[in-house]
Amino acid sequence: MTKTALISGITGQDGSFLAEVLLEKGYDVYGIIRRSSSFNTDRIDHLYQDPHEKGTRLRLLYGDLNDSSSLNTILRQVQPDEIYNLGAQSHVRVSFDIPEYTGEVTGLGAVRFLEAIRETGIKPRFYQASSSELFGNAFETPQTEATPFHPRSPYGCAKAYAYYITVNYRESYGLFASNGILFNHESERRGETFVSRKITRAATRIKLGLQDKLYMGNLDARRDWGYARDYVEAMWLIMNADEPDDYVVATGETHSVREFLEKTFGYLDLDWEKYVEIDPRYFRPAEVDLLLGDASKVRRQLGWEPKVTFDGLVKLMTDYDLQLAKQEAEARELKHTSTTNKARWGSM
Ligand code: NAP
Ligand code: F7E
């Protein structure tokens, strides 16, 4: 029988990859989108057909993690077998500027979903997008499912609430509710203000003369960076395990932001030190210095393996952004030519 999945955060990096993977596996997929004054479905436009077209398996519904009644209505309408709660205000630096809002969406959003499950009486499985930011100022390295939490930002604190409420609803009401504690994962679809994409976008634009400088924050921070497409496979495995449980998902390698810069600029035959300047605006009130995950449990129990290495990740993101930069350069050239032509014709 065809399974139905509901994804919050479908317009985001992970939501778009997950929708792709679930459609490939034969699911009917519903995504929750927010009303926005401009289109925000770029990452899923290639998957979306005319909703009136027969056989369409991806449908989008308006809703918001801050609006319980929209979640209840959607659950009644969709009756999903699986709910992936990926929606969040997901930017750590920004969470210091809008802590209360981050708590509402990223933290309380999870309990709104869990309560909607109870109120509607349907029995879907539930996946909570938990984060390595829970470990924060980590008590031990590498971090496992047993490592105590010490979040360092309003985002991390909100994710801690969402993590524990998911465990609590599993223990209290017997829901199939699991946490994937995912370490940083990036891709060509990563938001442009996260450090990996900020670097690959800037380096490729610098290479083509579209930008002069790149302003950065703390270059010493270390992260366990993987590829997002690999990580959404882990989400599906966690959702389809025999029992609900919590799993760390990581590569088991850590690299500094400085190394990310060296690799990206090096790949483009550029010396990063000539272009990068430090801007204290990008420092955080409290930093997470070192993250390194031990994903033995998900590897052993669910057979998950990351396929893309750190070098492979830098290369694929840089290749993609180089194409974007070339398109931008060509568009500028065209505009320049047409302005020059206009000026010439104007004098005739
Ligand atoms: P992302 O690209 O920032 O996407 C976030 C998604 O949440 C977007 O679709 C966004 O919609 C949606 N959203 C924001 N506020 C919402 C609200 N009030 N109601 C409903 N939806 C809302 O994040 P991502 O990188 O794909 O990450 C997916 C999830 O995994 C997030 O929960 C994130 O915190 C978590 N996580 C990410 C990583 C990582 O390294 N990427 C690691 C661990 C955990 P709009 O498009 O309308 O803004
Ligand atoms: O920062 C440092 C910054 O913003 C990584 C989210 O997906 O992963 C992400 O959170 C590191 C930090 O990701 C700049 O200080 C230096 O130490 O790419 P980021 P994040 O904060 O690790 C976790 C797992 C999530 O769950 C989150 O949702 O890079 N850094 N200079 C900088 N960071 C940014 N953004 N910009 C800089 O200029």
Side-chain angles (χ1 to χ4, degrees):
M1 215 180 68
T2 305
K3 278 193 185 175
T4 301
L6 175 65
I7 304 175
S8 75
I10 193 164
T11 53
Q13 169 187 257
D14 291 6
S16 68
F17 282 117
L18 181 64
E20 241 165 57
V21 165
L22 294 175
L23 288 168
E24 278 164 27
K25 291 183 190 294
Y27 280 68
D28 281 343
V29 176
Y30 287 80
I32 300 178
I33 55 165
R34 301 193 285 170
R35 138 74 198 162
S36 155
S37 66
S38 54
F39 288 116
N40 62 353
T41 55
D42 287 12
R43 294 186 179 101
I44 49 169
D45 282 343
H46 64 294
L47 300 173
Y48 192 63
Q49 299 165 292
D50 180 339
H52 304 295
E53 203 169 298
K54 226 176 135 206
T56 182
R57 289 192 295 115
L58 172 63
R59 294 179 186 82
L60 301 177
L61 302 166
Y62 282 109
D64 198 298
L65 286 166
N66 276 342
D67 182 333
S68 309
S69 72
S70 71
L71 300 180
N72 276 278
T73 307
I74 288 172
L75 284 209
R76 281 207 181 79
Q77 183 186 337
V78 173
Q79 305 263 327
D81 299 298
E82 298 176 4
I83 298 175
Y84 295 86
N85 184 30
L86 311 186
Q89 191 302 93
S90 75
H91 203 284
V92 173
R93 174 66 193 82
V94 173
S95 79
F96 287 98
D97 300 329
I98 46 171
E100 186 181 331
Y101 176 78
T102 303
E104 285 286 347
V105 180
T106 308
L108 291 177
V111 78
R112 292 193 183 103
F113 244 135
L114 291 162
E115 273 297 283
I117 293 173
R118 284 200 335 116
E119 282 168 22
T120 53
I122 56 170
K123 298 262 177 286
R125 292 183 171 203
F126 181 81
Y127 173 91
Q128 172 56 29
S130 286
S131 164
S132 51
E133 284 294 300
L134 295 171
F135 300 120
N137 194 13
F139 284 94
E140 60 184 7
T141 300
Q143 295 88 42
T144 71
E145 293 78 7
T147 304
F149 296 159
H150 185 160
R152 294 273 279 174
S153 63
Y155 169 82
C157 295
K159 283 288 182 188
Y161 175 80
Y163 171 92
Y164 282 123
I165 203 71
T166 300
V167 174
N168 181 256
Y169 272 55
R170 176 168 83 218
E171 292 175 353
S172 305
Y173 306 114
L175 297 186
F176 192 109
S178 300
N179 285 286
I181 308 173
L182 272 50
F183 282 61
N184 297 54
H185 46 279
E186 320 294 311
S187 74
E188 66 281 20
R189 296 186 199 168
R190 186 57 144 153
E192 295 188 17
T193 59
F194 295 98
V195 78
S196 60
R197 190 82 198 286
K198 180 169 166 178
I199 293 172
T200 57
R201 277 293 274 149
T204 49
R205 295 185 83 248
I206 287 170
K207 177 78 183 170
L208 296 193
L210 296 164
Q211 181 173 334
D212 300 326
K213 289 273 172 221
L214 168 59
Y215 295 94
M216 301 283 302
N218 175 16
L219 306 188
D220 295 322
R222 301 183 71 85
R223 290 289 181 277
D224 181 329
W225 276 296
Y227 182 46
R229 180 71 173 67
D230 290 344
Y231 284 48
V232 301
E233 286 288 352
M235 293 179 189
W236 182 80
L237 288 169
I238 292 169
M239 187 67 112
N240 286 278
D242 292 339
E243 299 294 333
D245 205 345
D246 310 313
Y247 297 88
V248 158
V249 179
T251 68
E253 262 185 44
T254 189
H255 299 273
S256 66
V257 173
R258 185 176 281 100
E259 279 173 74
F260 207 110
L261 282 166
E262 276 164 9
K263 275 265 178 272
T264 310
F265 280 77
Y267 182 57
L268 295 165
D269 289 323
L270 296 172
D271 175 2
W272 69 275
E273 287 179 282
K274 286 191 184 148
Y275 304 98
V276 173
E277 284 185 16
I278 301 303
D279 182 337
R281 276 190 309 148
Y282 297 112
F283 289 127
R284 295 163 183 197
E287 177 62 284
V288 171
D289 296 319
L290 166 64
L291 289 175
L292 172 62
D294 174 351
S296 305
K297 181 175 166 183
V298 73
R299 285 174 183 256
R300 195 178 56 248
Q301 292 187 6
L302 305 182
W304 179 78
E305 286 291 338
K307 296 187 185 78
V308 177
T309 60
F310 177 68
D311 284 8
L313 177 67
V314 169
K315 186 171 174 314
L316 78 82
M317 291 179 69
T318 309
D319 285 341
Y320 182 88
D321 281 338
L322 193 58
Q323 287 311 315
L324 275 191
K326 281 183 182 156
Q327 284 163 19
E328 187 184 343
E330 279 163 21
R332 279 195 189 187
E333 182 57 32
L334 261 179
K335 202 169 163 208
H336 174 73
T337 314
S338 102
T339 321
T340 320
N341 283 344
K342 261 190 218 148
R344 257 196 228 118
W345 295 327
S347 65
M348 278 164 79

